[in-house]
């Protein structure tokens, strides 16, 4: 009726086309290309470089320390004879422990008191260690050699419980190990059998590679070295930006904010990652350990783009499974407190992801779309951290691990906090216990 | 391989874009930019503004196409048009809102029932007539006729009264009919 001719008009105009404005596609292409460049040119790049450098240096330092100790041990090992072993280790151990106590005192302010206390209490024990030499040997052997026989396991347990048992036979089976441990790795180790086990347990750092929060369950499956570590940590992100809105985070959405309409804004809010992990640790000696396992990380981001009445709101949920490999070096420890550094890398794979988008036009949610995110890239990262552990029970301790990590570009288009803050600091808390 | 030949199929294009086929994006642009340009020019008379809006909309389309759900032939075109029109309306609302009501001239003195035959009218002429209309008429008419919005929706989007939308539409319609009539008469005279 009334509408008839306008309906006709609509049909008539449905196929009508006009030439596009000149140079439109060129500018669109330029906008699309310029996204990554824009991102890098921000002044945050400098901060990123600095953070990256610090993480890298930490990792390099870790490696150097490792080589130093390994080389030194080889040297000492080759020039010692077994006849020296009984007399030398204890004496040397005392001397070293004094020195290292001092250095720890200087270096680790927070732990200074504990160090001194330990020093006082441990020296008499160290002298007496000659008497209980067999226990020392046994424990050191555990650090280095990880005996696999069941009877050895029981021996260790007995010695830990403070009983002198007939473990002397071990002494001659593992003299090298004993020596190596005391002379090389045992800077601060009090050669005290009871404490050795506790110290050893506290040497197990959480295995988190990344800065991000997660909790970790450490399961070791190797005789007495087995330990279990359960930790839960929330990522502590001191760099502002983790939770604030910014306009250049999503390469896709960024286009819109770069585009000419000033009314359009894109905001992305990355929420704190949550990570859980189960890891197993293998102790190479009294100081060094490696660990690996499986982690699960949950990343969420809220994305908002558009103008007042017309916008898109997306929620991105990503599930990552990661495999970390870490090297752990214990700087200092005693019965209650342990200080260690940890460094390594992790590969993470996005097993599942979903992008839920509400498409709002004229203030009305017109449509909602679910999109599965599939990505075959592996997110690699490196990390280093320093850990402090407090043992409130003989086989149970809590720890805190500040650290830094760097996530490398994985080549995917998925926008994550890893890309936004590839290098970041983190703080992890956890609980850790050993199982026999 | 053969799939790439099916440039005209909306669904194929969509699938290829979803499969991260970069060339499909350019093809999508080439296939629809003419239509989208026409839609844009129907609302926006300033060339630079139109270009900005088109650019913005195309970028939006490219970046958000993964959120689009294909629902049969024409749905992609409709979706793209919707994004464009939203972009246009945002622009009008924020940049030219004051002009929407400042155009109360030229009320055609014609009965409402007049329904011009548009079959033999070239689309370019209709486009030109629409572009020459005052902003308020043009916007409301475009939304009502081409985007098929109700006056209630138009009023909501533009922040005007529903009655205002209805009256502007009516005036626009009359004006268009008058212009078409004038064109026909002019042509008749030329043919004589």
């Amino acid at each position: 009726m009334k509408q008839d001719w306008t309906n006709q008009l609509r049909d008539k105009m449905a196929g009508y086309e006009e030439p596009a404005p000149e140079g439109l596609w060129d500018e669109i292409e330029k906008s699309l290309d310029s996204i990554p460049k824009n991102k890098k040119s921000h002044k945050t790049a400098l901060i990123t470089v600095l953070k990256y450098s610090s993480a890298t240096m930490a990792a390099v330092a870790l490696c150097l320390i490792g080589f130093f100790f390994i080389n030194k041990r080889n040297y000492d090992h080759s020039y010692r004879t077994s006849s020296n072993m009984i007399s030398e280790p204890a004496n040397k151990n005392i001397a070293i422990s004094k020195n290292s106590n001092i250095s720890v005192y200087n270096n680790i302010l927070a732990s200074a008191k504990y160090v001194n206390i330990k020093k006082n209490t441990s020296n008499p024990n160290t002298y007496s260690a000659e008497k209980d030499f067999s226990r020392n040997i046994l424990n050191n052997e555990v650090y280095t050699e990880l005996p696999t026989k069941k009877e050895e396991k029981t021996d260790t347990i007995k010695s830990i419980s403070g009983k002198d048992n007939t473990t002397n036979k071990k002494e001659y089976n593992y003299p090298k190990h004993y020596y190596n441990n005391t002379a090389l790795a045992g800077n601060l180790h009090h050669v005290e059998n009871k404490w050795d086990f506790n110290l050893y347990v506290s040497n197990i750092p959480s295995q988190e590679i990344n800065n991000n929060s997660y909790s970790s369950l450490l399961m070791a499956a190797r005789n007495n070295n087995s330990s279990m570590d359960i930790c839960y940590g929330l990522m502590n992100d001191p760099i502002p930006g983790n939770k604030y809105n910014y306009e250049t985070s999503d390469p896709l959405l960024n286009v819109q904010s770069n585009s000419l309409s000033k009314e359009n804004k894109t905001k992305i809010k990355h929420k704190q990652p949550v990570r859980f992990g189960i890891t197993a640790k293998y102790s190479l000696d009294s100081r060094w350990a490696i660990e690996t396992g499986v982690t699960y990380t949950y990343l969420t981001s809220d994305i908002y783009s558009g103008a007042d009445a017309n916008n898109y709101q997306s929620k991105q949920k990503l599930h990552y499974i990661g495999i970390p490999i870490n090297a752990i070096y214990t700087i200092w420890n005693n019965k209650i407190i342990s200080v260690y550094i940890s460094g390594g890398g992790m590969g993470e794979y996005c097993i599942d992801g979903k992008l839920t988008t509400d498409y709002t036009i004229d203030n009305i949610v017109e449509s909602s779309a679910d999109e599965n995110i599939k990505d075959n890239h592996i997110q690699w990262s490196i990390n280093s951290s320093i850990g402090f552990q407090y043992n409130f029970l003989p086989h149970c301790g809590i720890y805190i691990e500040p650290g830094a990590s760097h996530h490398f570009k994985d080549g995917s288009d998925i926008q994550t906090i890893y890309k936004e803050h590839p290098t970041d600091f983190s703080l992890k808390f956890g609980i850790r216990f050993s199982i026999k | 391989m053969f799939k790439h030949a099916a440039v005209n199929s909306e669904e194929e294009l969509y699938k290829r874009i979803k499969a991260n086929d970069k060339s499909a994006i350019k093809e999508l642009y080439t296939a629809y930019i003419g239509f989208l340009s026409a839609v844009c020019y129907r609302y926006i008379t300033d060339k630079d503004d139109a270009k900005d809006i088109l650019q913005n909309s195309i970028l939006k389309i490219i970046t958000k196409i993964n959120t689009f759900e294909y629902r049969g032939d024409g749905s992609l075109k409709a979706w793209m048009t919707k994004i464009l029109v939203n972009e246009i309306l945002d622009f009008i609302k924020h940049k030219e809102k004051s002009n929407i009501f400042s155009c109360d001239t030229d009320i055609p003195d014609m009965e409402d029932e007049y329904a011009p035959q548009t079959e033999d009218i070239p689309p370019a002429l209709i486009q030109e007539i629409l572009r020459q209309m005052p902003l308020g008429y043009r916007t409301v008419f475009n939304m009502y006729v081409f985007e098929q919005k109700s006056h209630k929706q138009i009023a909501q989007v533009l922040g005007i009264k529903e009655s205002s939308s209805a009256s502007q539409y009516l005036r626009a319609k009359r004006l268009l009919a008058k212009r078409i009539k004038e064109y026909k008469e002019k042509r008749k005279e030329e043919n004589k």
Side-chain angles (χ1 to χ4, degrees), chain A residues 160-416:
Chain A
I160 286 154
S161 62
K163 294 173 186 174
D164 273 326
N165 289 318
T166 58
T167 54
N168 284 337
K169 58 179 179 179
K170 299 290 176 188
E171 176 178 345
Y172 298 102
N173 292 335
Y174 299 95
K176 288 176 185 174
H177 301 137
Y178 170 71
Y179 179 77
N180 289 336
N181 282 322
T182 53
L184 300 171
N187 284 350
L188 271 177
H189 272 280
H190 317 290
V191 189
E192 212 176 64
N193 298 329
K194 287 181 189 173
W195 290 7
D196 274 345
F197 188 78
N198 288 332
L199 291 173
Y200 170 69
V201 169
S202 67
N203 282 350
I204 300 164
S206 76
Q207 81 81 38
E208 299 314 331
I209 294 170
N210 296 314
N211 302 334
N212 304 327
S213 69
Y214 53 89
S215 50
S216 167
L217 188 66
L218 241 178
M219 296 188 66
R222 201 166 164 120
N223 294 341
N224 293 315
N225 286 328
S226 298
S227 64
M228 181 174 283
D229 176 21
I230 300 173
C231 67
Y232 172 76
L234 272 180
M235 177 170 178
N236 177 27
D237 186 357
I239 307 300
N242 184 19
K243 302 204 98 178
Y244 76 126
N245 297 325
Y246 47 93
E247 296 191 13
T248 57
S249 48
D250 186 328
L252 301 179
L253 298 170
N254 196 18
V255 173
Q256 296 173 12
S257 50
N258 284 344
S259 59
L260 294 154
S261 166
K262 298 285 189 294
E263 312 302 334
N264 284 329
K265 282 179 184 169
T266 298
K267 296 174 182 172
I268 297 193
K269 191 173 170 182
H270 293 302
K271 296 187 175 172
Q272 280 192 329
V274 178
R275 175 172 300 150
F276 298 92
I278 298 174
T279 55
K281 176 189 162 190
Y282 174 70
S283 292
L284 302 170
D285 58 23
S286 60
R287 297 254 176 212
W288 286 97
I290 56 168
E291 68 182 355
T292 186
V294 181
T295 66
Y296 163 77
T297 309
Y298 179 54
L299 298 181
T300 50
S301 305
D302 288 332
I303 301 159
Y304 173 91
S305 178
D308 297 342
N310 310 301
N311 57 64
Y312 319 93
Q313 288 182 52
S314 303
K315 193 166 185 68
Q316 180 179 265
K317 297 175 179 175
L318 299 171
H319 306 270
Y320 281 87
I321 291 289
I323 295 178
I325 297 176
N326 269 17
I328 295 145
Y329 178 75
T330 303
I331 300 169
W332 180 85
N333 56 22
N334 69 12
K335 188 177 178 181
I336 300 167
I337 302 292
S338 168
V339 182
Y340 54 87
I341 52 175
S342 168
M346 179 157 80
E348 280 180 288
Y349 185 77
C350 182
I351 49 163
D352 191 26
K354 190 169 254 185
L355 185 70
T356 309
T357 304
D358 287 336
Y359 181 60
T360 307
I361 299 170
D362 306 341
N363 292 317
I364 299 160
V365 178
E366 294 256 331
S367 64
S368 183
D370 278 357
E371 189 202 353
N372 287 325
I373 299 170
K374 187 69 189 161
D375 183 42
N376 292 323
H377 297 85
I378 292 176
Q379 171 73 60
W380 296 102
S381 60
I382 54 167
N383 78 97
S384 66
S385 61
I386 182 163
F388 304 92
Q389 178 165 332
Y390 171 73
N391 292 318
F392 58 89
L393 288 173
H395 299 127
C396 205
I398 55 171
Y399 65 89
I400 181 170
E401 253 186 56
S405 71
H406 178 79
H407 289 81
F408 296 99
K409 286 177 187 170
D410 64 356
S412 76
D413 292 332
I414 302 175
Q415 195 59 28
T416 64

Side-chain angles (χ1 to χ4, degrees), chain A residues 2-18:
Chain A
K2 269 190 196 176
Q3 283 290 314
D4 278 349
W5 76 273
T6 53
N7 282 341
Q8 214 175 27
L9 199 68
R10 184 170 56 247
D11 295 340
K12 191 180 193 67
M13 299 300 284
Y16 179 66
E17 294 188 2
E18 282 198 20

Side-chain angles (χ1 to χ4, degrees), chain B residues 3 63 69-70 95 112 115 134 149 165-166 181 183 192:
Chain B
K3 278 181 184 176
T63 53
E69 215 171 294
Y70 188 77
K95 301 279 164 70
D112 197 23
K149 300 281 183 190
S165 172
K181 199 179 176 186
Y183 167 79
K192 277 178 187 174

